[in-house]
Amino acid sequence: MNPKRCAACKYLRRRCPKDCIFSPYFPPNDPDKFACIHRIYGAGNVSKMLQQLPVQTRAEAVESLSFEAKCRVEDPVYGCVGIISLLQTQIRKTQTLLAKTQAEIAVAQTKHSQHTNL
Amino acid sequence: MSSSGSPSSSGGGGPCGACKFLRRKCVPGCIFAPYFDSDQGAAHFAAVHKVFGASNVSKLLHHIPEHKRADAVVSICFEAQSRLRDPIYGCVSHIVSLQQQVVSLQNELSYVQAHLATLELPQPPPATVTSSGSLPPLSISDLPTITPSMYDLSPIFEPMSSTWPMQQQPRPSDHLFGVSQSSSIGGGGEFQAIAREFLHGGQMSAHQPPPETGGSAPTVIKRE
């Protein structure tokens, strides 16, 4: 058993075994990370998800789950889908402005060539 | 989302999709019934249950005002489907992809605006997104107050200015997200459409159902 429990086992108030699936990703100095994930996904679901992944990908999976969980806690209605929506809006607006600027360039270049021909 | 005409609540023609999946009695007032019909709802609830768990979703919905629950269910289904398709990154890969697209467009815009400014004809200063009447800057305060170190989205939402960096600072996880423009979500466009259409409509009016999409879309909302 780990001499120091990981944040997950601390939160779940249980012993932290040597092969605890959570311990590499939930250090005891960051209790909020697991608390958030547990609130949204539940320990059992996260454990199952991690078990189905290759070990070398689990750290990234935990980070993305943590991000999504935090987004959901902050915005219970939209979660990180709200961020997707905002990004898509920004993309559309930037594309519009880009097109407008390119049109202005075309007009300016036309005027410039007409002025040069005079 | 779902245009199925079959009633989902237990009062009429059988259990809702959620209770059907859970093989339990669908009681009157079932929190899932309005959002998971008995046809496709069960399949969509299966994804939600696998990722979030029925009790977690139930608690979440109970804490959300009723008029916002439809939006919440759509976003939850979207995240669940994304996570099942990409168990490592879920919909975060989609966010990273969009973020890269934003940066690329902003760089292109800066270049084009600089080009416009160099033309000799007298003209007003190039329109930038910070000028009033054009693109209103998004500020980080408009977003969930989350900037996890590996997913720092704050540069995207700072007001664009002439000092906008041509290249984003590398993030620790950049090399890990080998995300191409195509989303890791299979048929990602449909989820974009769902999220965009529904969430834009949802932010203005609560009960605007998303458009009908292909079979893989989380078409769980039924019109009442």
Side-chain angles (χ1 to χ4, degrees):
Chain A
M1 187 180 86
N2 285 341
K4 207 170 180 186
R5 290 184 293 174
C6 69
C9 293
K10 229 176 190 175
Y11 183 91
L12 297 170
R13 296 183 184 179
R14 66 181 195 191
R15 296 174 71 181
C16 189
K18 265 187 185 172
D19 60 348
C20 175
I21 195 164
F22 297 122
S23 62
Y25 319 109
F26 296 100
N29 60 352
D30 189 2
D32 292 340
K33 186 176 175 184
F34 184 79
C36 206
I37 280 188
H38 178 67
R39 184 171 157 183
I40 300 301
Y41 297 102
N45 288 332
V46 176
S47 173
K48 272 186 235 168
M49 280 193 257
L50 291 180
Q51 280 168 5
Q52 287 166 2
L53 290 173
V55 174
Q56 63 272 19
T57 63
R58 288 178 187 173
E60 285 298 315
V62 166
E63 290 306 313
S64 68
L65 285 166
S66 177
F67 180 79
E68 289 188 28
K70 283 180 184 171
C71 288
R72 184 60 64 177
V73 167
E74 289 285 330
D75 184 354
V77 178
Y78 298 109
C80 66
V81 177
I83 295 178
I84 291 174
S85 180
L86 284 168
L87 284 168
Q88 288 174 338
T89 300
Q90 186 154 13
I91 285 169
R92 277 200 303 279
K93 288 182 176 177
T94 309
Q95 285 171 334
T96 301
L97 192 56
L98 186 61
K100 183 182 165 216
T101 309
Q102 286 167 336
E104 286 175 8
I105 287 174
V107 167
Q109 284 172 338
T110 303
K111 284 184 182 171
H112 179 74
S113 61
Q114 284 173 352
H115 179 75
T116 306
N117 290 337
L118 287 176
Chain B
M1 287 186 176
S2 169
S3 59
S4 168
S6 57
S8 62
S9 68
S10 62
C16 70
C19 294
K20 204 174 178 179
F21 176 81
L22 295 170
R23 296 183 186 186
R24 70 181 191 191
K25 187 180 173 187
C26 191
V27 299
C30 170
I31 191 139
F32 299 120
Y35 316 111
F36 296 95
D37 71 0
S38 56
D39 292 332
Q40 292 180 336
H44 297 129
F45 186 80
V48 170
H49 178 64
K50 187 164 182 184
V51 175
F52 294 96
S55 61
N56 290 330
V57 176
S58 173
K59 274 186 235 168
L60 190 66
L61 290 178
H62 272 113
H63 283 104
I64 292 173
E66 199 172 338
H67 67 284
K68 286 284 191 182
R69 287 178 187 167
D71 286 3
V73 168
V74 170
S75 66
I76 286 168
C77 288
F78 181 90
E79 285 189 31
Q81 295 276 4
S82 302
R83 182 60 60 175
L84 291 179
R85 291 183 191 211
D86 185 349
I88 301 171
Y89 300 114
C91 64
V92 173
S93 61
H94 192 44
I95 291 174
V96 172
S97 174
L98 289 173
Q99 185 183 12
Q100 290 169 345
Q101 210 173 326
V102 168
V103 169
S104 171
L105 281 169
Q106 287 171 343
N107 289 342
E108 193 177 344
L109 182 65
S110 298
Y111 174 79
V112 164
Q113 287 174 338
H115 180 51
L116 182 64
T118 60
L119 293 177
E120 292 179 354
L121 286 173
Q123 59 199 340
T128 66
V129 293
T130 55
S131 62
S132 60
S134 67
L135 190 68
L138 287 173
S139 81
I140 193 65
S141 62
D142 294 335
L143 300 171
T145 52
I146 299 156
T147 52
S149 60
M150 297 182 83
Y151 306 101
D152 184 6
L153 299 177
S154 53
I156 299 300
F157 302 104
E158 286 166 3
M160 285 195 280
S161 67
S162 58
T163 60
W164 188 265
M166 289 302 291
Q167 282 188 341
Q168 212 182 4
Q169 290 182 1
R171 294 187 303 272
S173 61
D174 269 358
H175 68 287
L176 295 172
F177 292 101
V179 179
S180 65
Q181 286 293 70
S182 59
S183 170
S184 63
I185 303 168
E190 65 206 39
F191 289 113
Q192 281 188 33
I194 291 168
R196 183 172 59 234
E197 197 77 23
F198 194 89
L199 293 173
H200 265 290
Q203 286 168 357
M204 290 181 281
S205 78
H207 292 288
Q208 192 157 357
E212 288 292 325
T213 59
S216 58
T219 54
V220 298
I221 306 297
K222 76 174 171 69
R223 272 189 174 280
E224 294 191 4

